[in-house]
């Protein structure tokens, strides 16, 4: 069994190990490497995907929205292990493309990991984790509309990344950051649509 992840760099390293040993890396392979009890790392993975250049792939935002909703609803109902359908688990990416994304994310991940520490832990434990799951549901429901405004799904990805990291490192300040980022993005999207 893999050790629990404690940082963004560890998540990137684990995915990097997969890309070095396989021609294509599927979601199922990543989920297996991070463990089926790891809601935080899974949210981090979704956030990284949306925040990276992969968010420019047509339909990626809608695909990731369904992924977010599946994970968040399972968190809300208190499941200890998450379940994902095969249409998500079978999705894969070529090694070269994945490695470029991982290289692009490496330096920001190092900077982010330097400032994270456990604080405001009431925002991530017990009732706080249900609040995080509820916020993820709202983000997932709003993401299809974010496709209408360029780069707004990347901001949603940043919020999801912050929420996943908050669960992993028990940093409640990241929950507040995610609220600010998502609230600002949603306001921007609504103003541009109306």
């Amino acid at each position: 069994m893999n050790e629990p992840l404690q940082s963004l760099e560890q998540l990137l390293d684990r995915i990097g190990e997969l890309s070095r040993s396989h021609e294509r890396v599927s979601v199922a392979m990543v989920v297996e490497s991070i463990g089926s009890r790891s809601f935080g790392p899974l949210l981090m993975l979704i956030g990284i995907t949306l925040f990276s250049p992969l968010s420019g792939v047509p339909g990626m935002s809608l695909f990731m929205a369904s992924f977010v909703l599946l994970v968040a609803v399972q968190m809300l109902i208190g499941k200890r292990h998450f379940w994902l359908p095969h249409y998500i688990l079978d999705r894969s990416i070529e090694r070269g493309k994945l490695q470029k994304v991982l290289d692009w994310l490496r330096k920001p991940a190092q900077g982010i990991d330097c400032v994270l520490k456990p604080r405001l832990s009431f925002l991530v434990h017990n009732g706080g984790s249900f609040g995080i799951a509820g916020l993820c549901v709202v983000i997932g429901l709003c993401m299809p509309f974010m496709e209408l405004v360029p780069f707004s799904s990347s901001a949603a990805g940043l919020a999801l990344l912050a929420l996943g990291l908050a669960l992993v490192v028990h940093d409640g300040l990241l929950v507040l950051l995610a609220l600010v980022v998502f609230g600002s993005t949603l306001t921007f999207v609504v103003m541009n649509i109306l």
Side-chain angles (χ1 to χ4, degrees):
M1 185 84 181
N2 288 320
E3 290 291 313
L5 295 172
Q6 297 178 338
S7 71
L8 188 51
E9 274 189 281
Q10 286 178 353
L11 177 66
L12 296 179
D13 288 343
R14 206 164 284 177
I15 296 170
E17 289 170 19
L18 291 172
S19 74
R20 285 188 288 279
S21 57
H22 297 86
E23 253 337 284
R24 292 189 71 82
V25 177
S26 70
V27 173
M29 294 162 69
V30 174
V31 167
E32 185 179 323
S33 76
I34 62 175
S36 63
R37 302 179 118 201
S38 308
F39 288 100
L42 194 54
L43 287 174
M44 287 167 49
L45 175 65
I46 296 167
I48 286 171
T49 303
L50 287 168
F51 189 65
S52 76
L54 289 175
S55 66
V57 174
M60 182 62 79
S61 184
L62 190 58
F63 171 71
M64 284 294 151
S66 64
F67 202 166
V68 169
L69 289 171
L70 276 168
V71 171
V73 167
Q74 290 178 69
M75 283 175 66
L76 277 174
I77 62 175
K79 286 194 77 155
R80 294 198 179 274
H81 301 273
F82 58 79
W83 169 87
L84 295 171
H86 285 288
Y87 84 89
I88 289 179
L89 293 173
D90 293 341
R91 298 278 276 208
S92 65
I93 185 171
E94 318 176 348
R95 175 194 335 203
K97 287 182 182 176
L98 180 61
Q99 197 56 55
K100 282 181 186 174
V101 169
L102 293 174
D103 292 343
W104 183 81
L105 291 168
R106 183 73 53 195
K107 195 169 240 26
Q110 291 170 347
I112 290 168
D113 286 341
C114 285
V115 297
L116 299 180
K117 62 183 177 185
R119 57 188 153 197
L120 301 173
S121 58
F122 67 93
L123 291 171
V124 293
H125 292 295
N126 302 324
S129 63
F130 288 108
I132 289 172
L135 180 57
C136 288
V137 167
V138 172
I139 292 172
L141 291 172
C142 292
M143 281 174 59
F145 303 104
M146 291 181 167
E147 287 242 334
L148 302 172
V149 179
F151 304 110
S152 59
S153 62
S154 293
L158 182 60
L160 290 166
L161 175 58
L163 292 171
L165 276 167
L167 288 170
V168 170
V169 298
H170 310 291
D171 192 343
L173 190 60
L174 289 171
V175 177
L176 299 177
L177 174 67
L179 278 167
V180 169
V181 168
F182 179 67
S184 303
T185 303
L186 188 59
T187 302
F188 180 74
V189 168
V190 169
M191 287 173 58
N192 279 291
I193 291 176
L194 296 180

